[in-house]
Amino acid sequence: MPDTYRPEVIDHLVRPRNVGEISDASGIGESGDAACGDIARFSVRLEDNALTDVRYKVYGCAACIAAGSALSELVCGKSLLDAARVSKEDVRDALGGSLPVGKEHALTLVLDALHKAFEDHWNLVAGDMLVEGYGGSEKNDGKTVVAAMSGGVDSAVTALLLKERGYDVATVTFRLHDGEKGSRSCCSPDTVLFARDTAHRMGLPHFTLNLKDLFQKRVMRDFVGSYEKGRTPNPCVACNAHVKFHAAAFLADGLGFHHVATGHYARVADGPSLARPRDAAKDQTYVLWPIPRELLARTVFPLGDYEKPEVRRIAEDRGLAVAYTPESQDICFIPDGNYRKFVRKKVAAEPGEVVDTAGKVLGGHAGVVDFTVGQRRGIGVSAPTPLYVTEVRPKSNQVVVGKKQDLAVREVLVRDLNHFLAPDEACSVQVRYNGSPVPCEVEETADGAWIAHLSEPVMGVAPGQSAVFYSADGERVAAGGVVARNGA
Amino acid sequence: MAVWVKLAKMMDHRVYLDHAATTPLDERVLEAMLPHLKERGGNPSSLHASGAAAREAIEAAREAVAAFLGASPGEIFFTSGGTEADNLALFGMARAAETSGKRHVVVSAVEHAAVRESARRLEESGWEVSWIGVDEHGLVDPAELSAALRPDTALAAVMWANNEIGTVQPVEELADICAEREILFHADAVQSAGRVPIDVARTPVSTLAISGHKLYGPQGIGALYVRDGVALDPTLLGGGQERGLRSGTENVAGIVGLGMACQLASESLEGRVRHESRLRDRIISGVTELPGVSLNGHPEMRLSNSVHLSVDGVEAEGLVLFLDALGFEVGSGSACASASAGHKASPVLLAMGQDEREAFSAVRITVGKDNTEQEIEAFLEAFSTAVNQLRELSPLTTT
């Protein structure tokens, strides 16, 4: 790397292009690095998904000024898709090659500001659309797809496979929550940058969507509220039900694209219906059941036909830097995994009684939010045989405990169903993330709920968890819903 | 590239306004040095004629340097530059004083790195260091120095004039305070030599450092004045040159150059100061007409050639490079100047109470004896163009 600036940098410094701000911009983005004090701001005007005007401002070193100028020149007049494809390397090339040591961050900074302007544009277009539940617009045709990109190996290979199959691919990363700094949670700002780099290395356009409000309303609030109500939530299910697929479809519609894709391990069968993937160990149908049918109809899961080791091998073969990233966590917004602490911070918990199934008081507890059905640890009551939480009663602030056999359930009431097949095609049901399907008979109630009569008792069925019904061959999801109540 | 920028480049007339970094070599200095590089090549320690000639040239230069400082030739020791002179003063005096059990030094917070880092090294090796602060003009308060002195204080060091902001310290008063208490006092006079009258007969410093290339002499040569009777341990060991204090074969041409530079400075000090001050004041009045441009350092007690500015809403690096593209060479006021080292705010500006962002907005313009009024007028125009354009670019500027 050179110690001094190249003539191209000095030229952009002295004669910067596209300086200024657009008063009625389609989107404005600002990125700043607190550590060095540099700030870049981009404003863009978009007409029919083309950048008809780009303006930028920079406070910072010569590298930032020149990088902003060069980037504005690279994207102005381009289609939004081509603009979102412009990479750090492209800007570096426009500046005549590598920047002096310690100045390369300028490329990241200006690119991030431009992408935040795009993000701002999409959020302005979206308004409350996503919060209200986005069903998608009229289908477009064509081999076009928006692929969700978390920065991990699965989503990167997803985008790559689609590209290799001849799709026009646009990638998108969602900002879901303010992840803690330095966390390995998949949604921290670092992972946004990493996902963008990964997409750009594949020559793909990348977008970000800010879904923090939506995620807060539809996932995190529900997560905390469930514990208050004595229910066991599944935030991944809530995210798939209300956030991810809707947002991807929204972007696809905005770009005039047809399909949406994620790196989930599942398949879309005729109907459309949800079907199990080739890699049974990675099967994610249990958390994907709430995808609305009209969105599933346009969804592609390329990894459904691959085993995980193959996916890693593809990433290695194609030289993707993501090949060795660790598996993402269970709950992305709780990076340390301590969800009790997380819930405790959000809700006030009152002490109450621990009672047995007959109602006899055995001891006290510090709050019902600390308990879920099936739990054995932390009950705080000594007994000759191990005690399990069999019920949580938030109204009376009681935690009911019993023996292991008290957890056994033969009947499960399931509401909020998302149907893919007729009720009589549902032959088994899975009621826990790490459980396996149990044969059952389905009885439909007058109000549309399903009662699953289980062929054998199942332990620890917790209200709030998902119940997913499978077809006779066990390969297709017949329907999914939420456990409302369980009975002996 | 804009037409006028091209013109500036084609004119090939670069205006050098960074004399605090280094000064161009005076033609007469070069003339004096050349014979020692071309014809004579003797080692001053040799007994033959060439050696004797070299020895003679060195001693003549020593006399010139001594005369320039009001010292006697026996008090002048040649070094490789200002940094070595500062190091020799601090380590030399500290080691010599160690036998007396004194292990405390007092140093100002705005010293050049050569003194600051030497004091830090002393601190690491068990010495106690008191760092005395400065006011918003970068000025050391004599009362604060006085209060920092202790019975076990071996030495104090305050620079004569600051290399960044140009503030000239009340060195005479500071040296007097130390002399009364029989405490050694070192003054780094690298920036002030040739711009402020220096007379060690009047100012009771123990040691004083100067550098050749800051007063139109060559780079790679400096000198340390050591008052007669002040004990120093050498830091370089070897053949015992410079009366045992600074071993190593003498840089004969450099020494001759320094001697000539000091002689020229002695002869023309008054005229240089008058000329530089006029250009300096023209710059100050010109640039401060722009909004958000303010002068750093003391308004009166400042070097005749130094203008140090904070420019709101602009980072120094861009401004310096912009001016460079227009043909004007100035310094960025902070250490972030070096393109390779990343950002680091100047400790001098931080000591004066500025925040980091202000410190990154600092530029240093230092005129020299050969700058002309026309050059300054052209500079003012370029400066205004650069500042306005960079501000137009800044999201921090509200328009």
Side-chain angles (χ1 to χ4, degrees):
Chain A
M1 270 183 232
D3 291 338
T4 52
Y5 288 117
R6 295 171 193 274
E8 288 88 344
V9 173
I10 301 300
D11 182 46
H12 277 285
L13 171 73
V14 177
R15 197 174 61 91
R17 283 62 142 181
N18 303 311
V19 173
E21 272 173 288
I22 300 169
S23 53
D24 55 340
S26 309
I28 297 173
E30 189 171 296
S31 210
D33 183 352
C36 78
D38 294 335
I39 297 167
R41 186 189 296 157
F42 269 81
S43 52
V44 297
R45 180 179 289 118
L46 286 159
E47 287 165 40
D48 298 328
N49 284 339
L51 262 82
T52 53
D53 199 5
V54 178
R55 298 281 147 177
Y56 91 105
K57 284 197 163 194
V58 162
Y59 168 82
C61 63
C64 289
I65 292 169
S69 172
L71 176 61
S72 73
E73 206 171 41
L74 281 173
V75 298
C76 196
K78 279 216 166 92
S79 73
L80 180 57
L81 284 170
D82 284 338
R85 223 188 289 271
V86 170
S87 67
K88 286 195 290 194
E89 285 66 31
D90 296 332
V91 182
R92 190 187 287 130
D93 289 347
L95 292 175
S98 55
L99 292 167
V101 179
K103 298 292 187 183
E104 289 274 313
H105 75 287
L107 305 172
T108 304
L109 185 81
V110 297
L111 202 61
D112 199 45
L114 175 70
H115 276 258
K116 281 180 177 166
F118 295 158
E119 180 178 316
D120 186 40
H121 160 69
W122 290 122
N123 281 317
L124 288 171
V125 172
D128 289 336
M129 221 189 282
L130 288 167
V131 179
E132 299 305 321
Y134 184 78
S137 64
E138 286 294 302
K139 278 183 202 170
N140 301 287
D141 283 327
K143 255 184 139 179
T144 49
V145 62
V146 166
M149 186 100 142
S150 68
V153 62
D154 289 335
S155 57
V157 171
T158 297
L160 188 72
L161 289 172
L162 290 166
K163 187 193 171 198
E164 290 179 357
R165 281 177 203 170
Y167 280 86
D168 273 342
V169 184
T171 59
V172 61
T173 302
F174 305 126
R175 294 182 203 269
L176 299 178
H177 52 82
D178 297 308
E180 280 159 53
K181 267 197 176 164
S183 77
R184 279 167 52 206
S185 168
C186 65
C187 306
S188 72
D190 273 357
T191 39
V192 169
L193 300 181
F194 189 73
R196 182 176 300 145
D197 282 348
T198 306
H200 284 164
R201 273 198 299 275
M202 294 189 272
L204 300 177
H206 181 259
F207 294 98
T208 47
L209 287 182
N210 186 343
L211 307 177
K212 286 179 188 173
D213 282 351
L214 178 65
F215 193 78
Q216 168 66 30
K217 282 194 181 98
R218 306 307 298 254
V219 179
M220 287 166 77
R221 196 177 290 170
D222 170 70
F223 180 80
V224 173
S226 288
Y227 281 100
E228 275 184 301
K229 291 181 198 131
R231 293 155 66 92
T232 304
N234 189 325
C236 294
V237 169
C239 185
N240 290 332
H242 303 292
V243 180
K244 233 174 232 178
F245 291 87
H246 301 68
F250 161 76
L251 182 64
D253 290 340
L255 293 170
F257 274 30
H258 180 198
H259 295 287
V260 300
T262 67
H264 284 110
Y265 287 82
R267 283 194 260 214
V268 182
D270 295 341
S273 68
L274 194 59
R276 289 197 189 276
R278 207 178 106 208
D279 188 341
K282 293 294 296 177
D283 186 353
Q284 288 173 302
T285 52
Y286 182 76
V287 294
L288 290 170
W289 67 263
I291 304 171
R293 289 184 56 163
E294 67 269 26
L295 294 184
L296 188 66
R298 57 195 292 197
T299 297
V300 193
F301 295 125
L303 301 193
D305 299 322
Y306 292 86
E307 309 244 344
K308 179 79 183 202
E310 291 176 279
V311 170
R312 285 202 180 275
R313 210 171 306 127
I314 291 168
E316 279 172 41
D317 286 350
R318 313 296 202 283
L320 291 181
V322 293
Y324 302 100
T325 50
E327 294 288 297
S328 56
Q329 283 145 356
D330 288 345
I331 302 177
C332 67
F333 53 91
I334 308 178
D336 67 357
N338 189 343
Y339 64 91
R340 296 232 183 278
K341 195 177 88 192
F342 179 86
V343 173
R344 278 296 198 132
K345 265 196 260 177
K346 309 265 174 187
V347 295
E350 282 175 33
E353 294 167 347
V354 176
V355 300
D356 66 14
T357 44
K360 189 180 143 201
V361 177
L362 302 177
H365 66 77
V368 291
V369 297
D370 290 342
F371 299 90
T372 52
V373 171
Q375 181 178 334
R376 204 184 95 183
R377 291 196 193 116
I379 292 172
V381 174
S382 58
T385 53
L387 289 175
Y388 294 83
V389 175
T390 60
E391 196 186 340
V392 178
R393 296 171 178 161
K395 278 184 189 145
S396 58
N397 212 10
Q398 282 180 324
V399 173
V400 185
V401 297
K403 297 192 188 71
K404 190 167 187 191
Q405 57 263 37
D406 295 333
L407 283 171
V409 165
R410 306 281 316 223
E411 206 177 277
V412 183
L413 176 67
V414 183
R415 293 193 184 279
D416 305 323
L417 285 151
N418 189 29
H419 302 270
F420 297 108
L421 306 175
D424 59 359
E425 290 190 70
C427 295
S428 63
V429 65
Q430 181 178 335
V431 290
R432 284 206 322 237
Y433 185 69
N434 291 317
S436 42
V438 173
C440 69
E441 271 178 32
V442 171
E443 175 196 341
E444 199 166 7
T445 67
D447 61 354
W450 285 10
I451 297 167
H453 300 281
L454 308 175
S455 66
E456 56 189 74
V458 171
M459 299 291 171
V461 181
Q465 284 285 65
S466 293
V468 181
F469 295 88
Y470 291 89
S471 60
D473 62 2
E475 286 301 312
R476 295 170 79 187
V477 175
V482 180
V483 175
R485 181 168 54 76
N486 50 61
Chain B
M1 203 177 280
V3 177
W4 55 281
V5 177
K6 263 189 184 159
L7 278 175
K9 292 225 161 187
M10 279 164 58
M11 273 159 53
D12 201 31
H13 180 68
R14 301 195 62 78
V15 178
Y16 186 76
L17 296 170
D18 198 14
H19 290 80
T22 194
T23 51
L25 192 67
D26 190 293
E27 198 64 34
R28 291 161 291 180
V29 173
L30 178 64
E31 289 301 323
M33 290 170 70
L34 278 175
H36 298 276
L37 294 163
K38 289 164 80 174
E39 296 139 37
R40 295 173 217 163
N43 186 324
S45 299
S46 301
L47 291 175
H48 48 61
S50 294
R55 163 69 39 206
E56 208 174 300
I58 286 178
E59 293 316 317
R62 200 183 306 279
E63 277 176 36
V65 176
F68 175 57
L69 300 174
S72 63
E75 295 173 312
I76 303 301
F77 297 84
F78 293 112
T79 66
S80 66
T83 294
E84 192 197 324
D86 282 332
N87 274 251
L88 178 58
L90 262 75
F91 292 124
M93 287 196 285
R95 281 190 200 140
E98 234 164 6
T99 48
S100 64
K102 292 180 175 178
R103 288 178 72 85
H104 175 239
V105 299
V106 179
V107 180
S108 94
V110 295
E111 291 302 296
H112 185 274
V115 170
R116 189 175 67 233
E117 295 305 316
S118 297
R120 284 220 181 108
R121 176 55 62 87
L122 286 174
E123 207 167 22
E124 282 163 18
S125 53
W127 282 66
E128 212 181 315
V129 178
S130 297
W131 302 88
I132 51 172
V134 292
D135 67 8
E136 74 272 24
H137 295 131
L139 215 51
V140 169
D141 180 0
E144 199 179 332
L145 172 72
S146 186
L149 299 177
R150 312 192 311 213
D152 65 335
T153 306
L155 71 116
V158 178
M159 69 203 315
W160 200 302
N162 185 266
N163 52 308
E164 285 184 39
I165 53 165
T167 295
V168 178
Q169 303 291 353
V171 172
E172 202 170 320
E173 199 176 338
L174 301 172
D176 277 336
I177 288 167
C178 290
E180 272 168 35
R181 309 264 293 260
E182 292 183 353
I183 289 166
L184 300 169
F185 182 82
H186 172 68
D188 172 343
V190 166
Q191 291 293 340
S192 50
R195 299 182 185 100
V196 171
I198 295 175
D199 184 359
V200 294
R202 258 184 57 190
T203 311
V205 296
S206 312
T207 52
L208 179 140
I210 63 167
S211 168
H213 75 110
K214 309 284 190 187
L215 63 156
Y216 308 95
Q219 295 169 344
I221 190 71
L224 183 68
Y225 159 80
V226 181
R227 186 173 296 278
D228 195 23
V230 171
L232 262 78
D233 273 11
T235 51
L236 285 182
L237 303 176
Q241 286 87 344
E242 295 294 287
R243 284 145 289 150
L245 190 56
R246 203 280 185 181
S247 286
T249 298
E250 296 86 341
N251 171 4
V252 179
I255 289 170
V256 168
L258 178 61
M260 177 54 81
C262 286
Q263 187 191 319
L264 294 172
S266 303
E267 288 166 8
S268 54
L269 183 67
E270 230 174 282
R272 278 187 196 175
V273 169
R274 207 179 317 118
H275 176 70
E276 288 177 351
S277 304
R278 198 167 56 238
L279 300 184
R280 175 198 67 186
D281 293 344
R282 175 65 192 117
I283 293 174
I284 292 173
S285 71
V287 295
T288 51
E289 275 176 25
L290 295 170
V293 177
S294 53
L295 184 70
N296 294 315
H298 200 281
E300 282 108 37
M301 295 172 69
R302 64 182 310 120
L303 287 173
S304 54
N305 71 333
S306 173
V307 180
H308 192 277
L309 303 169
S310 283
V311 185
D312 286 356
V314 172
E315 257 198 28
E317 189 204 60
L319 182 52
V320 170
L321 290 168
F322 200 120
L323 289 168
D324 182 49
L326 302 187
F328 298 89
E329 299 182 325
V330 304
S332 81
S334 219
C336 103
S338 57
S340 58
H343 280 58
K344 211 174 165 198
S346 153
V348 175
L349 297 177
L350 297 180
M352 286 160 59
Q354 292 201 355
D355 66 27
E356 290 218 351
R357 178 156 286 170
E358 286 174 292
F360 285 137
S361 312
V363 290
R364 181 184 67 185
I365 304 136
T366 41
V367 300
K369 66 184 177 70
D370 299 324
N371 286 127
T372 66
E373 280 174 32
Q374 290 90 321
E375 286 176 335
I376 299 308
E377 293 308 319
F379 166 75
L380 289 172
E381 205 171 308
F383 184 84
S384 152
T385 304
V387 169
N388 286 334
Q389 192 165 318
L390 288 169
R391 279 193 178 153
E392 202 182 306
L393 203 64
S394 169
L396 304 176
T397 316
T398 45
T399 42

